[in-house]
Amino acid sequence: IGTFGVGLEARTERIESTNLGKRNRNNAGLFGEYKFEPIERLLVNAGVYTNYNSDYGWEAFPGLDVGYNFYDNWRVFANVGTGQRLPTYTDLYYKGPTNIGNDQLKTEKSKYAEGGLKFNNDRLALNASYFVRRIDNFIDWVKTQQSDPWQPHNFSLINTKGFTLSADYKLLAASESTLSNVRLGVSYTHLDPGFKKTMS
């Protein structure tokens, strides 16, 4: 009926610093995914990552990948996902003459969607895709007045649109020589970000 995958992870972060102090936080994660083929040549992969952080509590981040092989080596695909970035100890606790931390920071949250077209054979790989990404509570070091120290805040909401084009070519077939592992590639990514100030 398909393929199931599960995993666990755990880590502890500790720091003793004359500037940042003595800090520690624990992180645990559980992820699961299910890959199946509801109809011929259509592959679906659905998953979720659930995270616990001792400073920020529980969060869940689902994702979905769909791909369809519609003609020989051609494939159309789409994926959506979510994620987060935790503030660093420097973001939270740093104390200096021109920079100070902010222990009230929230985690950055992101949402992502992409769709595109791929071609693959033994020698050539082509990819063209369009994507959108939104980051809430983006962390940036700012100051309200020129005389203020720099301090990180959940400063803005960032919406980024863009597209990627790439090509990758293997110089020789696998059986011809040791140069068969040499590949030439080129890629181009266009980004169009938009910012909305939401400082907190």
Side-chain angles (χ1 to χ4, degrees):
I1 62 174
T3 303
F4 295 89
V6 295
L8 294 168
E9 67 169 358
R11 72 176 185 271
T12 297
E13 302 170 354
R14 298 181 184 276
I15 188 171
E16 293 187 19
S17 167
T18 55
N19 190 288
L20 303 176
K22 293 184 178 181
R23 312 288 178 184
N24 72 281
R25 60 187 181 191
N26 301 310
N27 201 79
L30 167 66
F31 65 87
E33 66 175 8
Y34 175 46
K35 186 184 295 184
F36 63 103
E37 192 173 353
I39 61 174
E40 187 178 359
R41 297 189 293 179
L42 177 65
L43 186 64
V44 179
N45 189 354
V48 63
Y49 176 76
T50 302
N51 178 259
Y52 171 76
N53 183 274
S54 55
D55 288 348
Y56 295 98
W58 289 95
E59 299 280 356
F61 304 99
L64 178 68
D65 300 315
V66 179
Y68 181 69
N69 296 315
F70 65 93
Y71 180 74
D72 290 339
N73 299 310
W74 291 92
R75 178 181 180 86
V76 62
F77 69 93
N79 56 70
V80 294
T82 54
Q84 74 170 356
R85 185 179 81 84
L86 297 176
T88 66
Y89 286 129
T90 300
D91 291 333
L92 294 167
Y93 305 116
Y94 183 81
K95 293 180 181 178
T98 58
N99 301 65
I100 58 172
N102 179 359
D103 62 4
Q104 301 302 307
L105 289 174
K106 303 172 186 176
T107 61
E108 289 183 4
K109 302 287 180 63
S110 65
K111 299 175 183 177
Y112 181 86
E114 180 184 23
L117 185 66
K118 291 183 178 182
F119 172 85
N120 284 282
N121 63 18
D122 293 338
R123 303 279 290 275
L124 180 64
L126 303 173
N127 177 80
S129 63
Y130 178 83
F131 59 86
V132 293
R133 180 175 65 230
R134 173 182 170 133
I135 300 177
D136 291 287
N137 296 325
F138 180 75
I139 297 171
D140 197 7
W141 289 74
V142 297
K143 53 171 133 180
T144 54
Q145 298 181 12
Q146 191 64 30
S147 58
D148 290 344
W150 292 98
Q151 187 176 39
H153 290 271
N154 295 110
F155 180 68
S156 59
L157 180 154
I158 301 178
N159 286 306
T160 303
K161 299 177 288 184
F163 63 87
T164 296
L165 304 171
S166 66
D168 193 73
Y169 183 71
K170 182 184 283 189
L171 293 180
L172 299 171
S175 60
E176 292 182 13
S177 84
T178 55
L179 293 176
S180 62
N181 291 323
V182 177
R183 306 182 73 94
L184 295 177
V186 62
S187 64
Y188 173 77
T189 300
H190 175 79
L191 298 175
D192 182 18
F195 300 87
K196 180 179 178 182
K197 194 174 182 179
T198 58
M199 191 166 86
S200 61

CSV table of all heavy atoms in Angstrom, one decimal, residues 61-116:
chain,number,residue,atom,x,y,z
A,61,PHE,N,5.0,20.7,11.7
A,61,PHE,CA,5.4,21.2,10.4
A,61,PHE,C,5.1,20.2,9.3
A,61,PHE,O,5.9,19.3,9.0
A,61,PHE,CB,6.9,21.6,10.3
A,61,PHE,CG,7.2,22.6,11.4
A,61,PHE,CD1,7.8,22.1,12.6
A,61,PHE,CD2,6.9,23.9,11.3
A,61,PHE,CE1,8.2,23.0,13.6
A,61,PHE,CE2,7.3,24.8,12.3
A,61,PHE,CZ,7.9,24.3,13.4
A,62,PRO,N,3.9,20.3,8.7
A,62,PRO,CA,3.5,19.3,7.6
A,62,PRO,C,4.2,19.7,6.3
A,62,PRO,O,4.6,20.8,6.0
A,62,PRO,CB,2.0,19.4,7.6
A,62,PRO,CG,1.7,20.8,8.0
A,62,PRO,CD,2.8,21.2,9.0
A,63,GLY,N,4.2,18.7,5.4
A,63,GLY,CA,4.7,18.9,4.0
A,63,GLY,C,4.1,17.9,3.1
A,63,GLY,O,3.6,16.8,3.5
A,64,LEU,N,4.1,18.2,1.8
A,64,LEU,CA,3.5,17.3,0.8
A,64,LEU,C,4.3,17.5,-0.5
A,64,LEU,O,4.6,18.6,-1.0
A,64,LEU,CB,2.1,17.7,0.5
A,64,LEU,CG,1.3,16.9,-0.5
A,64,LEU,CD1,1.1,15.4,-0.1
A,64,LEU,CD2,-0.1,17.5,-0.8
A,65,ASP,N,4.7,16.4,-1.1
A,65,ASP,CA,5.4,16.3,-2.4
A,65,ASP,C,4.6,15.5,-3.4
A,65,ASP,O,4.2,14.4,-3.0
A,65,ASP,CB,6.8,15.8,-2.3
A,65,ASP,CG,7.7,16.5,-1.4
A,65,ASP,OD1,7.7,17.8,-1.5
A,65,ASP,OD2,8.4,15.9,-0.6
A,66,VAL,N,4.4,16.0,-4.6
A,66,VAL,CA,3.6,15.2,-5.6
A,66,VAL,C,4.4,15.3,-6.9
A,66,VAL,O,4.9,16.4,-7.3
A,66,VAL,CB,2.2,15.8,-5.8
A,66,VAL,CG1,1.5,15.0,-6.9
A,66,VAL,CG2,1.4,15.8,-4.5
A,67,GLY,N,4.6,14.2,-7.6
A,67,GLY,CA,5.2,14.1,-8.9
A,67,GLY,C,4.6,13.2,-9.8
A,67,GLY,O,4.1,12.1,-9.4
A,68,TYR,N,4.5,13.6,-11.1
A,68,TYR,CA,3.9,12.7,-12.1
A,68,TYR,C,4.8,12.6,-13.4
A,68,TYR,O,5.2,13.6,-13.9
A,68,TYR,CB,2.6,13.3,-12.5
A,68,TYR,CG,1.8,12.5,-13.6
A,68,TYR,CD1,1.3,11.3,-13.2
A,68,TYR,CD2,1.7,13.0,-14.9
A,68,TYR,CE1,0.6,10.5,-14.2
A,68,TYR,CE2,1.0,12.2,-15.8
A,68,TYR,CZ,0.4,11.0,-15.5
A,68,TYR,OH,-0.2,10.3,-16.4
A,69,ASN,N,5.2,11.4,-13.7
A,69,ASN,CA,6.0,11.1,-14.9
A,69,ASN,C,5.0,11.0,-16.1
A,69,ASN,O,4.3,10.0,-16.2
A,69,ASN,CB,6.8,9.8,-14.7
A,69,ASN,CG,7.8,9.9,-13.6
A,69,ASN,OD1,8.5,10.9,-13.5
A,69,ASN,ND2,7.9,8.9,-12.8
A,70,PHE,N,5.0,12.0,-16.9
A,70,PHE,CA,3.9,12.0,-18.0
A,70,PHE,C,4.4,11.6,-19.4
A,70,PHE,O,3.6,11.3,-20.2
A,70,PHE,CB,3.3,13.4,-18.0
A,70,PHE,CG,4.1,14.5,-18.4
A,70,PHE,CD1,4.2,14.9,-19.8
A,70,PHE,CD2,4.9,15.2,-17.5
A,70,PHE,CE1,5.0,15.9,-20.2
A,70,PHE,CE2,5.7,16.2,-17.9
A,70,PHE,CZ,5.8,16.6,-19.3
A,71,TYR,N,5.7,11.6,-19.6
A,71,TYR,CA,6.2,11.2,-20.9
A,71,TYR,C,7.7,10.8,-20.8
A,71,TYR,O,8.5,11.7,-20.6
A,71,TYR,CB,6.0,12.3,-21.9
A,71,TYR,CG,6.4,12.0,-23.3
A,71,TYR,CD1,5.7,11.1,-24.1
A,71,TYR,CD2,7.6,12.5,-23.9
A,71,TYR,CE1,6.1,10.8,-25.4
A,71,TYR,CE2,8.0,12.2,-25.1
A,71,TYR,CZ,7.3,11.3,-25.9
A,71,TYR,OH,7.7,11.0,-27.2
A,72,ASP,N,8.0,9.6,-21.0
A,72,ASP,CA,9.3,9.1,-21.0
A,72,ASP,C,10.1,9.6,-19.7
A,72,ASP,O,9.7,9.3,-18.6
A,72,ASP,CB,10.1,9.4,-22.3
A,72,ASP,CG,9.6,8.6,-23.4
A,72,ASP,OD1,9.0,7.5,-23.2
A,72,ASP,OD2,9.8,9.0,-24.6
A,73,ASN,N,11.0,10.5,-19.9
A,73,ASN,CA,11.9,11.0,-18.8
A,73,ASN,C,11.4,12.4,-18.3
A,73,ASN,O,12.1,13.0,-17.6
A,73,ASN,CB,13.3,11.2,-19.3
A,73,ASN,CG,13.9,9.8,-19.7
A,73,ASN,OD1,13.8,8.9,-19.0
A,73,ASN,ND2,14.5,9.8,-20.9
A,74,TRP,N,10.2,12.8,-18.7
A,74,TRP,CA,9.7,14.1,-18.2
A,74,TRP,C,8.8,13.9,-16.9
A,74,TRP,O,8.1,12.9,-16.8
A,74,TRP,CB,8.8,14.7,-19.3
A,74,TRP,CG,9.6,15.2,-20.5
A,74,TRP,CD1,9.9,14.5,-21.6
A,74,TRP,CD2,10.3,16.5,-20.6
A,74,TRP,NE1,10.7,15.3,-22.4
A,74,TRP,CE2,10.9,16.5,-21.8
A,74,TRP,CE3,10.4,17.6,-19.8
A,74,TRP,CZ2,11.7,17.6,-22.3
A,74,TRP,CZ3,11.1,18.7,-20.2
A,74,TRP,CH2,11.7,18.7,-21.5
A,75,ARG,N,8.9,14.9,-16.1
A,75,ARG,CA,8.2,14.8,-14.8
A,75,ARG,C,7.7,16.2,-14.4
A,75,ARG,O,8.5,17.1,-14.4
A,75,ARG,CB,9.1,14.2,-13.7
A,75,ARG,CG,8.6,14.1,-12.3
A,75,ARG,CD,9.6,13.6,-11.4
A,75,ARG,NE,9.2,13.4,-10.0
A,75,ARG,CZ,8.5,12.4,-9.5
A,75,ARG,NH1,8.3,11.4,-10.3
A,75,ARG,NH2,8.2,12.3,-8.3
A,76,VAL,N,6.5,16.3,-14.0
A,76,VAL,CA,5.9,17.5,-13.5
A,76,VAL,C,5.8,17.3,-11.9
A,76,VAL,O,5.4,16.2,-11.5
A,76,VAL,CB,4.6,17.9,-14.1
A,76,VAL,CG1,3.5,16.9,-13.9
A,76,VAL,CG2,4.1,19.3,-13.6
A,77,PHE,N,6.1,18.3,-11.2
A,77,PHE,CA,6.1,18.2,-9.7
A,77,PHE,C,5.6,19.4,-9.0
A,77,PHE,O,5.6,20.5,-9.6
A,77,PHE,CB,7.5,17.8,-9.2
A,77,PHE,CG,8.5,19.0,-9.3
A,77,PHE,CD1,8.7,19.8,-8.3
A,77,PHE,CD2,9.2,19.2,-10.5
A,77,PHE,CE1,9.6,20.9,-8.4
A,77,PHE,CE2,10.1,20.3,-10.6
A,77,PHE,CZ,10.3,21.1,-9.5
A,78,ALA,N,5.2,19.2,-7.8
A,78,ALA,CA,4.8,20.3,-6.9
A,78,ALA,C,5.0,19.9,-5.4
A,78,ALA,O,4.9,18.7,-5.1
A,78,ALA,CB,3.3,20.6,-7.1
A,79,ASN,N,5.4,20.8,-4.6
A,79,ASN,CA,5.6,20.5,-3.2
A,79,ASN,C,5.2,21.8,-2.4
A,79,ASN,O,5.4,22.9,-2.8
A,79,ASN,CB,7.0,20.0,-2.9
A,79,ASN,CG,8.1,21.0,-3.4
A,79,ASN,OD1,8.2,22.1,-2.8
A,79,ASN,ND2,8.8,20.6,-4.4
A,80,VAL,N,4.8,21.5,-1.2
A,80,VAL,CA,4.5,22.5,-0.2
A,80,VAL,C,5.1,22.1,1.1
A,80,VAL,O,5.2,20.9,1.4
A,80,VAL,CB,3.0,22.8,0.0
A,80,VAL,CG1,2.4,23.4,-1.3
A,80,VAL,CG2,2.2,21.5,0.4
A,81,GLY,N,5.5,23.0,2.0
A,81,GLY,CA,6.1,22.7,3.2
A,81,GLY,C,6.1,23.9,4.2
A,81,GLY,O,5.8,25.0,3.8
A,82,THR,N,6.5,23.5,5.4
A,82,THR,CA,6.5,24.5,6.5
A,82,THR,C,7.8,24.3,7.3
A,82,THR,O,8.4,23.2,7.3
A,82,THR,CB,5.3,24.5,7.4
A,82,THR,OG1,5.2,23.1,7.9
A,82,THR,CG2,4.0,24.8,6.7
A,83,GLY,N,8.2,25.3,8.1
A,83,GLY,CA,9.4,25.1,8.9
A,83,GLY,C,9.6,26.3,9.9
A,83,GLY,O,8.8,27.2,9.9
A,84,GLN,N,10.7,26.2,10.6
A,84,GLN,CA,10.9,27.3,11.6
A,84,GLN,C,12.5,27.5,11.7
A,84,GLN,O,13.2,26.6,11.4
A,84,GLN,CB,10.3,27.0,12.9
A,84,GLN,CG,11.0,25.9,13.7
A,84,GLN,CD,10.6,25.8,15.2
A,84,GLN,OE1,9.7,26.6,15.6
A,84,GLN,NE2,11.1,24.9,15.9
A,85,ARG,N,12.8,28.6,12.3
A,85,ARG,CA,14.2,28.9,12.7
A,85,ARG,C,14.2,29.4,14.1
A,85,ARG,O,13.5,30.5,14.4
A,85,ARG,CB,14.9,29.9,11.7
A,85,ARG,CG,16.4,30.0,12.1
A,85,ARG,CD,17.1,31.0,11.1
A,85,ARG,NE,16.9,32.4,11.5
A,85,ARG,CZ,17.6,33.1,12.4
A,85,ARG,NH1,18.5,32.5,13.1
A,85,ARG,NH2,17.3,34.4,12.6
A,86,LEU,N,14.9,28.8,15.0
A,86,LEU,CA,15.0,29.3,16.4
A,86,LEU,C,16.0,30.4,16.5
A,86,LEU,O,17.0,30.4,15.8
A,86,LEU,CB,15.4,28.1,17.3
A,86,LEU,CG,14.5,26.9,17.4
A,86,LEU,CD1,15.2,25.9,18.3
A,86,LEU,CD2,13.2,27.3,18.0
A,87,PRO,N,15.7,31.4,17.4
A,87,PRO,CA,16.7,32.4,17.6
A,87,PRO,C,18.0,31.8,18.2
A,87,PRO,O,17.9,30.9,19.0
A,87,PRO,CB,16.0,33.3,18.7
A,87,PRO,CG,14.5,33.0,18.5
A,87,PRO,CD,14.5,31.6,18.1
A,88,THR,N,19.1,32.3,17.9
A,88,THR,CA,20.4,31.9,18.4
A,88,THR,C,20.6,32.5,19.8
A,88,THR,O,19.9,33.4,20.2
A,88,THR,CB,21.6,32.2,17.6
A,88,THR,OG1,21.7,33.7,17.6
A,88,THR,CG2,21.3,31.8,16.1
A,89,TYR,N,21.5,31.9,20.6
A,89,TYR,CA,21.9,32.5,21.9
A,89,TYR,C,22.4,33.9,21.7
A,89,TYR,O,22.1,34.8,22.6
A,89,TYR,CB,22.9,31.7,22.6
A,89,TYR,CG,22.4,30.4,23.1
A,89,TYR,CD1,23.1,29.2,22.9
A,89,TYR,CD2,21.3,30.3,24.0
A,89,TYR,CE1,22.6,28.0,23.4
A,89,TYR,CE2,20.8,29.1,24.5
A,89,TYR,CZ,21.5,27.9,24.2
A,89,TYR,OH,21.0,26.8,24.7
A,90,THR,N,23.1,34.2,20.6
A,90,THR,CA,23.5,35.6,20.4
A,90,THR,C,22.3,36.5,20.2
A,90,THR,O,22.3,37.6,20.7
A,90,THR,CB,24.4,35.6,19.2
A,90,THR,OG1,25.6,34.8,19.4
A,90,THR,CG2,24.9,37.1,18.9
A,91,ASP,N,21.3,36.1,19.4
A,91,ASP,CA,20.1,36.8,19.2
A,91,ASP,C,19.4,37.2,20.5
A,91,ASP,O,18.9,38.3,20.7
A,91,ASP,CB,19.1,36.1,18.3
A,91,ASP,CG,19.6,35.9,16.9
A,91,ASP,OD1,20.3,36.8,16.4
A,91,ASP,OD2,19.2,35.0,16.2
A,92,LEU,N,19.5,36.2,21.4
A,92,LEU,CA,18.7,36.3,22.6
A,92,LEU,C,19.4,37.1,23.8
A,92,LEU,O,18.8,37.9,24.5
A,92,LEU,CB,18.3,34.9,23.1
A,92,LEU,CG,17.3,34.1,22.3
A,92,LEU,CD1,17.3,32.7,22.7
A,92,LEU,CD2,15.9,34.7,22.3
A,93,TYR,N,20.7,36.8,23.9
A,93,TYR,CA,21.4,37.2,25.2
A,93,TYR,C,22.6,38.0,25.0
A,93,TYR,O,23.2,38.4,26.0
A,93,TYR,CB,21.8,35.9,26.0
A,93,TYR,CG,20.6,35.0,26.2
A,93,TYR,CD1,20.6,33.7,25.7
A,93,TYR,CD2,19.5,35.5,27.0
A,93,TYR,CE1,19.5,32.9,25.9
A,93,TYR,CE2,18.4,34.6,27.2
A,93,TYR,CZ,18.4,33.3,26.6
A,93,TYR,OH,17.3,32.5,26.8
A,94,TYR,N,23.1,38.4,23.8
A,94,TYR,CA,24.3,39.1,23.6
A,94,TYR,C,24.3,40.5,24.3
A,94,TYR,O,23.3,41.2,24.2
A,94,TYR,CB,24.7,39.2,22.2
A,94,TYR,CG,26.0,39.9,21.9
A,94,TYR,CD1,27.2,39.2,22.0
A,94,TYR,CD2,26.0,41.3,21.6
A,94,TYR,CE1,28.4,39.8,21.7
A,94,TYR,CE2,27.3,41.9,21.4
A,94,TYR,CZ,28.4,41.1,21.5
A,94,TYR,OH,29.6,41.7,21.2
A,95,LYS,N,25.4,40.8,24.9
A,95,LYS,CA,25.5,42.2,25.5
A,95,LYS,C,26.8,42.8,25.1
A,95,LYS,O,27.9,42.2,25.4
A,95,LYS,CB,25.4,42.1,27.1
A,95,LYS,CG,24.1,41.7,27.6
A,95,LYS,CD,24.1,41.6,29.1
A,95,LYS,CE,22.7,41.1,29.6
A,95,LYS,NZ,22.7,41.0,31.1
A,96,GLY,N,26.8,43.9,24.4
A,96,GLY,CA,28.0,44.6,24.0
A,96,GLY,C,27.8,46.1,23.9
A,96,GLY,O,26.6,46.5,24.1
A,97,PRO,N,28.8,46.8,23.6
A,97,PRO,CA,28.6,48.3,23.6
A,97,PRO,C,27.7,48.8,22.5
A,97,PRO,O,27.1,49.9,22.7
A,97,PRO,CB,30.1,48.8,23.4
A,97,PRO,CG,30.8,47.6,22.8
A,97,PRO,CD,30.2,46.4,23.3
A,98,THR,N,27.6,48.1,21.4
A,98,THR,CA,26.8,48.6,20.3
A,98,THR,C,25.7,47.6,19.9
A,98,THR,O,24.9,47.9,19.0
A,98,THR,CB,27.6,48.9,19.0
A,98,THR,OG1,28.4,47.7,18.7
A,98,THR,CG2,28.6,50.0,19.3
A,99,ASN,N,25.7,46.4,20.5
A,99,ASN,CA,24.7,45.4,20.2
A,99,ASN,C,24.2,44.7,21.5
A,99,ASN,O,25.0,44.4,22.3
A,99,ASN,CB,25.3,44.3,19.3
A,99,ASN,CG,25.9,44.8,18.0
A,99,ASN,OD1,26.8,45.6,18.0
A,99,ASN,ND2,25.3,44.4,16.9
A,100,ILE,N,22.9,44.5,21.6
A,100,ILE,CA,22.3,43.8,22.7
A,100,ILE,C,21.3,42.8,22.2
A,100,ILE,O,20.6,43.1,21.2
A,100,ILE,CB,21.7,44.8,23.8
A,100,ILE,CG1,20.6,45.6,23.1
A,100,ILE,CG2,22.7,45.6,24.4
A,100,ILE,CD1,19.8,46.4,24.1
A,101,GLY,N,21.2,41.7,22.9
A,101,GLY,CA,20.2,40.7,22.5
A,101,GLY,C,18.8,41.1,22.9
A,101,GLY,O,18.5,42.1,23.6
A,102,ASN,N,17.9,40.2,22.6
A,102,ASN,CA,16.4,40.4,22.9
A,102,ASN,C,15.8,39.0,23.3
A,102,ASN,O,15.6,38.2,22.4
A,102,ASN,CB,15.7,41.0,21.7
A,102,ASN,CG,14.2,41.2,21.9
A,102,ASN,OD1,13.7,40.9,23.0
A,102,ASN,ND2,13.6,41.7,20.9
A,103,ASP,N,15.6,38.8,24.6
A,103,ASP,CA,15.1,37.5,25.0
A,103,ASP,C,13.6,37.3,24.8
A,103,ASP,O,13.1,36.3,25.2
A,103,ASP,CB,15.5,37.3,26.5
A,103,ASP,CG,14.9,38.3,27.5
A,103,ASP,OD1,14.1,39.2,27.0
A,103,ASP,OD2,15.2,38.2,28.7
A,104,GLN,N,13.0,38.3,24.2
A,104,GLN,CA,11.6,38.2,23.9
A,104,GLN,C,11.3,37.7,22.4
A,104,GLN,O,10.1,37.7,22.0
A,104,GLN,CB,10.9,39.5,24.1
A,104,GLN,CG,11.0,40.0,25.5
A,104,GLN,CD,10.4,39.1,26.6
A,104,GLN,OE1,9.3,38.6,26.5
A,104,GLN,NE2,11.2,38.7,27.5
A,105,LEU,N,12.3,37.3,21.7
A,105,LEU,CA,12.2,37.0,20.3
A,105,LEU,C,11.3,35.7,20.2
A,105,LEU,O,11.4,34.8,21.0
A,105,LEU,CB,13.5,36.7,19.7
A,105,LEU,CG,14.4,37.9,19.4
A,105,LEU,CD1,15.8,37.4,18.9
A,105,LEU,CD2,13.8,38.8,18.4
A,106,LYS,N,10.5,35.7,19.1
A,106,LYS,CA,9.7,34.5,18.7
A,106,LYS,C,10.5,33.8,17.6
A,106,LYS,O,11.4,34.3,17.0
A,106,LYS,CB,8.3,35.0,18.2
A,106,LYS,CG,7.5,35.8,19.1
A,106,LYS,CD,6.3,36.3,18.5
A,106,LYS,CE,5.5,37.3,19.3
A,106,LYS,NZ,4.3,37.9,18.6
A,107,THR,N,10.1,32.6,17.4
A,107,THR,CA,10.7,31.8,16.3
A,107,THR,C,10.2,32.3,14.9
A,107,THR,O,9.1,32.8,14.8
A,107,THR,CB,10.4,30.3,16.4
A,107,THR,OG1,9.0,30.1,16.3
A,107,THR,CG2,10.9,29.8,17.7
A,108,GLU,N,11.1,32.2,13.9
A,108,GLU,CA,10.7,32.5,12.6
A,108,GLU,C,9.9,31.3,12.1
A,108,GLU,O,10.2,30.2,12.3
A,108,GLU,CB,11.9,32.7,11.7
A,108,GLU,CG,12.7,34.0,11.9
A,108,GLU,CD,13.9,34.1,10.9
A,108,GLU,OE1,14.0,33.2,10.0
A,108,GLU,OE2,14.6,35.0,11.0
A,109,LYS,N,8.8,31.6,11.3
A,109,LYS,CA,8.0,30.6,10.7
A,109,LYS,C,8.0,30.7,9.2
A,109,LYS,O,7.8,31.9,8.7
A,109,LYS,CB,6.5,30.7,11.3
A,109,LYS,CG,6.4,30.6,12.8
A,109,LYS,CD,6.7,29.1,13.3
A,109,LYS,CE,6.5,29.1,14.8
A,109,LYS,NZ,5.2,29.4,15.3
A,110,SER,N,8.1,29.7,8.5
A,110,SER,CA,8.1,29.8,7.0
A,110,SER,C,7.1,28.8,6.4
A,110,SER,O,6.8,27.7,6.9
A,110,SER,CB,9.5,29.5,6.5
A,110,SER,OG,9.9,28.1,6.8
A,111,LYS,N,6.6,29.2,5.2
A,111,LYS,CA,5.7,28.4,4.4
A,111,LYS,C,6.3,28.5,3.0
A,111,LYS,O,6.7,29.6,2.5
A,111,LYS,CB,4.3,28.9,4.4
A,111,LYS,CG,3.6,28.9,5.8
A,111,LYS,CD,2.2,29.5,5.8
A,111,LYS,CE,1.6,29.5,7.2
A,111,LYS,NZ,0.3,30.2,7.2
A,112,TYR,N,6.2,27.4,2.3
A,112,TYR,CA,6.9,27.3,1.0
A,112,TYR,C,6.1,26.4,0.0
A,112,TYR,O,5.5,25.4,0.4
A,112,TYR,CB,8.3,26.6,1.2
A,112,TYR,CG,9.1,26.5,0.0
A,112,TYR,CD1,10.0,27.5,-0.4
A,112,TYR,CD2,9.1,25.3,-0.7
A,112,TYR,CE1,10.8,27.4,-1.5
A,112,TYR,CE2,10.0,25.1,-1.8
A,112,TYR,CZ,10.8,26.2,-2.2
A,112,TYR,OH,11.5,26.0,-3.4
A,113,ALA,N,6.1,26.9,-1.2
A,113,ALA,CA,5.4,26.1,-2.3
A,113,ALA,C,6.2,26.2,-3.5
A,113,ALA,O,6.7,27.3,-3.8
A,113,ALA,CB,4.0,26.6,-2.5
A,114,GLU,N,6.3,25.1,-4.3
A,114,GLU,CA,7.0,25.1,-5.5
A,114,GLU,C,6.4,24.2,-6.5
A,114,GLU,O,5.8,23.2,-6.2
A,114,GLU,CB,8.5,24.7,-5.3
A,114,GLU,CG,9.4,24.6,-6.5
A,114,GLU,CD,10.7,24.0,-6.2
A,114,GLU,OE1,10.9,23.3,-5.2
A,114,GLU,OE2,11.7,24.3,-6.9
A,115,GLY,N,6.5,24.5,-7.8
A,115,GLY,CA,6.0,23.7,-8.9
A,115,GLY,C,6.9,23.8,-10.1
A,115,GLY,O,7.5,24.9,-10.3
A,116,GLY,N,7.0,22.7,-10.8
A,116,GLY,CA,7.9,22.8,-12.0
A,116,GLY,C,7.9,21.6,-12.8
A,116,GLY,O,7.1,20.7,-12.7
